[in-house]
Structure formats: structure tokens, C-alpha cells
Amino acid sequence: MVSTVVRRSWKPATTDMFTLAVDVMGGDLGPRVALRACRNLLRQRSDIRLIVAVTAVVAAEAGRLLGRSARVQLLICSDQVDMNDKPSRVLRGGLNSTMAAAINEVREQRAQAVLSVGNTGALMALSRHLLGTLPGIDRPALATLLPTRGKPLLMLDLGANLSVSSGQLVQFAALGWSWSRLQRGGNPSVGLLNVGREATKGTDCVRNADQQLRALLGDDYHGFCEGDDLYRGELDVLVTDGFAGNIVLKASEGLSEWLLELLQQEFRHHWLRRWLAPLWLLAIRRIEQRISPARHGGALLLGVNGVVIKTHGKSDARAFRHALRYVLQQLEQHNAAALSDSLQMLQSRLNSVNE
Amino acid sequence: MVSTVVRRSWKPATTDMFTLAVDVMGGDLGPRVALRACRNLLRQRSDIRLIVAVTAVVAAEAGRLLGRSARVQLLICSDQVDMNDKPSRVLRGGLNSTMAAAINEVREQRAQAVLSVGNTGALMALSRHLLGTLPGIDRPALATLLPTRGKPLLMLDLGANLSVSSGQLVQFAALGWSWSRLQRGGNPSVGLLNVGREATKGTDCVRNADQQLRALLGDDYHGFCEGDDLYRGELDVLVTDGFAGNIVLKASEGLSEWLLELLQQEFRHHWLRRWLAPLWLLAIRRIEQRISPARHGGALLLGVNGVVIKTHGKSDARAFRHALRYVLQQLEQHNAAALSDSLQMLQSRLNSVNE
């Protein structure tokens, strides 16, 4: 069975309109949460059109929640990608899955970006297959902006590449450096995550990457960083493999949730503190907001030829709302040609260094 | 130049006395911090004797700070291990370094445990070389108890083994399970850190280890865990490679420090909150104490034939005090024979599974 596109009462796109493809299937909490977030986004922003990929089972509910809008198309697919599916199986499935169909909308230039809640490995494999990668990039990396004491930190990879070569770490650094320079200007400071700052520390892989990055980025390369440098706020970009990156990001989420819980308990514990609740609740909420992007934002698949965003598998309505906002922000700032030029420049610099 | 032992006015050991060897060299903050912590420990506990390994340059200061006690021996060595030294160079140095000389005191049964502030790779290589490993263990792992929402979590490895095989991960799990069962009784629940909980997720290495652990530990094996499971408090033991383990531990330290800072700032910000300082300062202090073992404790080199503790390279006086307390606690609970028996039992179970 091939995917069916239902395009009823579709509002023609104007130049100031964004069209997003959204794969709502495959999250831990089911598609309803994502569908509601889509409905809210349509209400809030009149310059957004959505192409929502769903399976036949969910189509009725999607129609009910979104069907009345003239800015929605439903893409009804025969299959969906599950958390357990291996990338190889997903690639064999062609365009039948909601994830593949949504990415294909970007390839066919019917959408400017795609958002998925599903399996990271599958999203990576399908995006790479359908959209291709940027110059000099073998495999894209998942990246996100982490809040820190100072400037936000672009960290990559966060789980798309579990075992990496030193060459791939250098590619991630080139991606991060280029993205950061385009988005924020100036000379981004790039660090490489390791178990110590000394040049003798770490695996052969990170030590080789360290040597190459010194030659490639010059003064913009900050050298090895340790785990406690993540929140210092001195770096623009931090590079690591997807295994360590994924674990460190999720551990940080878990720890900040626990600390906020401890704080709430402490203040409920004492009658006088409970009585003064308005005073400290505001303070706790401000701290929560300050650190929340790490817990609720989306992650960008950097290095693929298009804007692909992944949200958490456990995304709740709030996380989905944040992710949709993140896609729009990326879209508004995205400059594929400039990113490509920057990577090509680094690629030729790297070739001349290696010659 | 060979190490010189200065044994003046040494108090003979009685059966209820502990003798610790301490290598005070090689920390980021210099030996003085460690020497002061040693002096305080001697004042507080009359059942402790210390063998303090120092270089000739530091000997005078060590003599001044500790020399009057009848429960101190100074071990004056010609060399010290630096943070940049590779394990291979350190091994060639024989017993000339303060670190090797301190470990050798355990081998020669003149001390019951050794504490070092120095280079992790060197401590691992020298301990393995001088003390040997426990049955079925190829390489020891650094382990520490992390505070969580529930029971403390024994996490290993924290940086002694950067690239590991699936067989080594299984050995770490066997070590953690045995240690936890001896220290806390019952059936310890053991998890393996990964990027997802599904059996298809992760590298070949962790998926192979997962299969072996199912066979080896049966119901005591909890399966794959993600980064946000670290602080949930449901596990007794969490196993990972030293690269991810080191990074996740240091990132947690960095994040909790930043959050406590944010909290202090929030409460100083508002005049009424500042006025009510005694009320919330106590709450913050309680939270800090609750999470502080992760930031200030020592790490145990598990799998080596003896009690070897490593403190942070950046240890301040407080961290050193905590580490000394941690050594004593380990010593009081340590049962080398029982640990050896438990590992031998697991080893034969593993052999029968693999046959």
C-alpha cells in the first residue's frame, strides 16, 4: 500500500509563509499530544501551513483536530517507524512510513522543514537518504543549544552517531563552527569533549581529532574540555560522539529535574517557608525557565541538506510546543547556501592541511 | 636515586589501628592542601597512622606540618607522577614516584589502603602492576557512590578504561554486583548505560554485554538504562565505559554547582528574600549536603587486590577530608576474601554460560 495524500481546501502559499511537515507518529505518548500542539500552532501563527503525516488509524482523529483548517494537509501513510525499528528496515520501507513521507515533502520542496518525534536512528538514515548531506559531511549530527552560565552552547552529536572516527568528530566541529558563525557571527570557540584537558588524555580517536582541529580551526579551537566545562558558558560549540553526548544530555535533564524537586520539597517542609510560597515559587520558576531549553527544546539534524528537527521520544505537549517554536526559529535563520559555502571553505582548508 | 624512607618515632600498630598510605603529590592545588587534611585527620582519629609519600622538595613542609606526630612516617621519593605522564612512562619509573611508593606500602602490607590525588591512568596502571587484580578481572574500574532520589548508586567505570570490550563491561558489572551485595546485602539491581532502553539500541559492544549480563545476573540485571535514570534511585549499580562515565560525572558536578549558584543569586536578588536569608540558606545547605558526595567524595579502584582510592585532581581541603573519610569507611567494610569468592562464583557461572 502506497501513501495517500489528502489535500483538501489547501491554502496557497505566499512568500511570507512557512510550510512545515510534521511526523506525529512513533512518540512514547502517542500522536494526540503532537496533533494538539499542531492545532495550537495553527491558531497562534497565521503564517504557518502544516503537512501532517499520520497512519490510517489516526487519520480520523487528525481530521477532527486539524481538518477544518485551510492551512493543513493530511498525509495518510500505510506504515510508521517504531522505536525498535532498525535503520536498515526503515530504509527498505521506502516512502510508506509517516517519517519518510514527511521528509520527502522537504525533498520535493513542498515543505521547508520537517519535525519528527520518532526514532533517532531512522530519522538520521532517512534524512541522509532522501535529502543528502552538505559538502564534506559523511554523516549528519544531532545538535542542540544548551543553556549555560554564559552564552548558549551548541552541543553535537547527541545520539545520531554512536561510534565515530576522528574524521567524523572534525566534521561535527566544522558543522558546529559554520552554523554558529552564521547564526551568531564572530569567531565561534569550539571545544572537544574529553576526560581531561591535557593533550595526552583520551582515546586515540579524540587525540587525532584534537591534532586535526588545531590545524583546521586555529585560534577558534579551544582544545579539550571536560564534563564540568559544559555549563561554564565560555564555549560556542562542543563536539563529542553520540554515545557520550546522548548520555550526558539525558543525565543533565534527570539531575536538574531532581534538584528542582528537592527545592520544592525543602520549601514545603517548613511552615514559614510554605507561608512565604509566592516569594520563592517565583524564584524557582525563573530558575526552571533559565535551564528549561535543555529539557524541552528540539534537536537539529545538522549536516543534512534541509531543516530536520527531532523532538524527545517522551515529548509532552509543552515539549512539542517548544520543538515547533524551535523549527520556526531555525527556518527563519536558516541559510543553506551560506552553510554550504562555509563547509566547502573548511573542506578545502582541511584538504590542504592533510596534503 | 632510590626512595628513602624516614621512619622516626613511629608508633607500633595495634590490632584496632588503621594505617593509610597517602600520595599527596600531583594534584592541581599542590600538596599543602592534602598535608593539612592529613594533619586534621590525625587530630580527629587516634586510631589512624599515616605513611605520607612526598618528594624531597616538599619534605620540609611535610615534616613541619606532620613531623611531630608519632603516628606519621614520611616516605621521601625522588620523583612524582604528573597529570601529563603516560602510564607506560610511569611503569618504567619503578618505585621512585610517590604514587608507586605509596601503593607499594599496601603490597608490602605496611598499609591497609592507599589514597592518591594524582593521574588516574597512572594510578590504575601502577595499582594493577603492584597489587594484581581479583579473579576474572582484567582491568580494574573506578567506582563511586552517587547520591540519587532513592538509594545511592554505585557507578563504574569513571575514567580508568576509556575504550572497553563487552567482556570488560560484564566484568565491571560482576565487580559492582559483588561489591554491592557485600556492602549492602540483598540482590543488587544492575543496569547498563545506553542511549535507549530498547534491545536494538546502542553499539555492538553494549548490545553484546546486555546479552551476556542477562545470562549472568538473571533477575538482578535490570537491562539498559538511559542518562536520566542515574538520579532515579531505583538501581544499585550502573555500568558504563570510562569515557562516558567520566564525562557524565563531571557534567553532573558542573550542573549542580551552577544550579546552586543560580539559587543563591535568586535569593540575593530580592530584598525580602535577602532579609529572610536564614530561612532559605538552611534549605540550600541541606540540598547541597544531599548532593555533595558526588562532588566531593573519593572514587574506589574496584577490582584491584587492595583498597585504592582516588580523589579529584582539583581536590580542595574539604574534598580531601571527604576522601580520607571515604577510605576509612571502605577499609572498615572491606572484605577482600568475600569479594574474591563472589567474583570466582560469577566467573564460573560465566564460563558455564559461554560453553
Side-chain angles (χ1 to χ4, degrees):
Chain A
M1 186 180 146
V2 181
S3 303
T4 326
V5 186
V6 181
R7 296 185 193 268
R8 52 181 172 190
S9 59
W10 180 248
K11 184 173 176 173
T14 53
T15 49
D16 57 346
M17 240 182 173
F18 293 115
T19 310
L20 311 182
V22 185
D23 164 31
V24 296
M25 309 303 295
D28 286 358
L29 302 173
R32 194 175 293 178
V33 165
L35 289 172
R36 289 218 177 106
C38 287
R39 186 182 55 183
N40 291 341
L41 183 73
L42 287 168
R43 283 181 187 161
Q44 283 158 15
R45 300 263 313 233
S46 58
D47 59 339
I48 299 294
R49 302 195 315 170
L50 294 180
I51 301 173
V52 181
V54 290
T55 54
V57 186
V58 180
E61 178 146 22
R64 195 175 58 76
L65 280 168
L66 301 170
R68 285 182 209 152
S69 170
R71 289 179 285 122
V72 169
Q73 279 184 349
L74 289 185
L75 208 57
I76 300 164
C77 302
S78 58
D79 201 4
Q80 73 175 72
V81 175
D82 287 323
M83 277 299 166
N84 292 314
D85 286 339
K86 289 202 168 184
S88 52
R89 195 201 83 87
V90 172
L91 283 177
R92 279 197 302 275
L95 297 179
N96 290 336
S97 67
T98 51
M99 191 189 277
I103 296 168
N104 191 50
E105 293 298 296
V106 175
R107 182 168 74 162
E108 300 296 338
Q109 299 185 347
R110 288 192 290 262
Q112 286 145 287
V114 55
L115 172 74
S116 174
V117 72
N119 180 325
T120 309
L123 187 66
M124 154 91 170
L126 281 169
S127 301
R128 197 176 156 213
H129 177 68
L130 291 170
L131 303 176
T133 54
L134 293 172
I137 303 300
D138 295 323
R139 289 169 64 87
L142 265 185
T144 203
L145 278 174
L146 290 181
T148 71
R149 277 189 184 81
K151 49 192 172 183
L153 175 71
L154 184 81
M155 185 165 165
L156 71 170
D157 178 38
L158 299 174
N161 308 275
L162 301 185
S163 317
V164 297
S165 64
S166 54
Q168 279 176 302
L169 288 174
V170 174
Q171 289 176 18
F172 297 167
L175 274 171
W177 184 84
S178 300
W179 183 92
S180 188
R181 215 162 71 118
L182 288 173
Q183 301 274 342
R184 310 199 232 171
N187 282 61
S189 170
V190 178
L192 181 59
L193 200 54
N194 195 8
V195 297
R197 290 196 188 81
E198 301 83 2
T200 53
K201 289 283 175 80
T203 57
D204 288 346
C205 176
V206 294
R207 280 188 280 121
N208 287 339
D210 178 62
Q211 289 300 316
Q212 291 180 57
L213 285 172
R214 266 176 217 292
L216 183 67
L217 297 178
D219 288 345
D220 290 353
Y221 178 56
H222 183 272
F224 285 143
C225 298
E226 294 183 79
D228 48 351
D229 292 325
L230 250 89
Y231 299 97
R232 239 183 263 287
E234 291 159 5
L235 290 170
D236 293 285
V237 180
L238 186 59
V239 173
T240 188
D241 66 87
F243 191 81
N246 183 284
I247 286 168
V248 84
L249 181 74
K250 289 182 184 160
S252 294
E253 288 167 11
L255 178 60
S256 54
E257 269 167 32
W258 179 41
L259 287 182
L260 288 169
E261 254 178 56
L262 278 177
L263 206 56
Q264 303 258 10
Q265 281 165 16
E266 269 302 328
F267 282 90
R268 281 211 193 95
H269 186 68
H270 191 290
W271 68 269
L272 187 54
R273 287 191 209 122
R274 203 162 50 230
W275 191 67
L276 293 165
L279 213 62
W280 56 261
L281 271 179
L282 194 75
I284 293 177
R285 199 162 310 136
R286 260 216 295 269
I287 292 175
E288 208 172 351
Q289 271 165 2
R290 178 82 195 272
I291 63 170
S292 73
R295 296 165 56 203
H296 299 293
L300 185 63
L301 195 62
L302 214 54
V304 82
N305 199 1
V307 178
V308 180
I309 310 277
K310 152 99 175 94
T311 72
H312 239 283
K314 291 158 211 152
S315 295
D316 56 9
R318 184 175 162 205
F320 219 95
R321 211 163 56 231
H322 278 270
L324 280 167
R325 203 182 300 159
Y326 188 69
V327 186
L328 289 176
Q329 189 195 330
Q330 287 305 319
L331 256 184
E332 281 157 12
Q333 297 173 345
H334 188 65
N335 187 338
L339 194 60
S340 214
D341 286 351
S342 172
L343 285 168
Q344 237 148 6
M345 183 273 283
L346 285 180
Q347 187 61 32
S348 60
R349 201 192 284 178
L350 190 63
N351 290 342
S352 71
V353 165
N354 287 342
E355 262 161 22
Chain B
M1 186 181 147
V2 181
S3 303
T4 326
V5 186
V6 180
R7 296 184 193 270
R8 52 181 173 191
S9 59
W10 181 246
K11 184 174 178 171
T14 54
T15 48
D16 57 346
M17 240 182 175
F18 294 114
T19 310
L20 311 182
V22 186
D23 163 31
V24 296
M25 309 303 295
D28 286 358
L29 303 175
R32 192 175 295 176
V33 166
L35 288 171
R36 290 219 176 105
C38 288
R39 185 181 56 182
N40 290 340
L41 182 74
L42 287 168
R43 282 180 188 162
Q44 282 157 17
R45 300 263 314 233
S46 58
D47 58 341
I48 299 296
R49 302 196 311 173
L50 295 179
I51 302 173
V52 181
V54 291
T55 54
V57 185
V58 180
E61 177 144 24
R64 195 174 57 76
L65 280 168
L66 302 169
R68 285 182 208 152
S69 170
R71 291 180 282 122
V72 169
Q73 279 184 349
L74 289 185
L75 207 56
I76 300 164
C77 302
S78 57
D79 202 2
Q80 72 174 73
V81 175
D82 286 322
M83 277 299 167
N84 292 315
D85 285 339
K86 289 202 169 186
S88 51
R89 197 200 82 85
V90 172
L91 282 177
R92 279 197 303 275
L95 296 179
N96 290 337
S97 68
T98 51
M99 191 188 277
I103 297 169
N104 191 50
E105 293 298 295
V106 174
R107 181 169 75 161
E108 301 294 339
Q109 301 185 347
R110 288 191 289 263
Q112 287 144 289
V114 54
L115 172 75
S116 174
V117 74
N119 182 327
T120 308
L123 186 67
M124 153 91 169
L126 281 169
S127 300
R128 197 175 155 213
H129 178 68
L130 291 169
L131 302 176
T133 54
L134 292 173
I137 303 300
D138 296 323
R139 289 168 64 86
L142 265 185
T144 201
L145 278 175
L146 290 182
T148 71
R149 278 189 185 82
K151 49 191 172 184
L153 175 71
L154 184 80
M155 187 165 163
L156 70 169
D157 178 38
L158 300 174
N161 309 274
L162 301 185
S163 317
V164 298
S165 64
S166 54
Q168 279 176 303
L169 289 174
V170 173
Q171 289 176 16
F172 297 167
L175 274 169
W177 183 84
S178 301
W179 184 92
S180 188
R181 216 162 71 118
L182 288 173
Q183 300 274 343
R184 309 198 233 171
N187 283 63
S189 171
V190 179
L192 181 59
L193 200 53
N194 195 7
V195 298
R197 289 193 190 85
E198 300 82 3
T200 52
K201 289 285 176 76
T203 56
D204 289 345
C205 175
V206 292
R207 279 188 281 121
N208 287 338
D210 178 61
Q211 289 300 317
Q212 290 180 59
L213 285 172
R214 266 175 217 292
L216 182 66
L217 297 178
D219 289 345
D220 290 354
Y221 177 57
H222 182 273
F224 284 142
C225 298
E226 294 184 78
D228 48 353
D229 293 325
L230 250 89
Y231 300 97
R232 240 183 262 287
E234 291 159 5
L235 291 169
D236 293 286
V237 180
L238 186 58
V239 173
T240 190
D241 65 88
F243 192 81
N246 182 285
I247 286 169
V248 84
L249 182 75
K250 288 182 184 158
S252 294
E253 289 166 10
L255 179 60
S256 53
E257 270 167 32
W258 179 41
L259 286 182
L260 289 169
E261 252 177 60
L262 278 177
L263 205 56
Q264 302 258 11
Q265 280 165 16
E266 269 302 327
F267 282 90
R268 280 211 193 95
H269 185 70
H270 190 290
W271 68 268
L272 187 54
R273 288 191 208 122
R274 202 163 50 228
W275 191 67
L276 293 165
L279 212 60
W280 55 263
L281 271 180
L282 194 74
I284 294 177
R285 199 162 310 136
R286 260 216 296 269
I287 293 175
E288 209 172 349
Q289 270 164 3
R290 178 83 194 272
I291 62 170
S292 73
R295 298 165 55 204
H296 300 292
L300 185 63
L301 195 63
L302 214 55
V304 82
N305 200 2
V307 178
V308 180
I309 310 276
K310 152 99 176 93
T311 72
H312 239 283
K314 292 158 210 153
S315 294
D316 55 9
R318 185 176 163 203
F320 220 93
R321 211 164 56 231
H322 278 269
L324 280 167
R325 203 181 299 160
Y326 188 70
V327 186
L328 288 175
Q329 188 194 330
Q330 287 305 320
L331 255 185
E332 279 156 13
Q333 297 172 346
H334 189 66
N335 185 337
L339 194 60
S340 218
D341 285 351
S342 172
L343 285 169
Q344 238 148 5
M345 185 271 286
L346 285 181
Q347 187 62 31
S348 59
R349 201 192 285 178
L350 190 63
N351 290 343
S352 71
V353 164
N354 287 342
E355 262 163 22

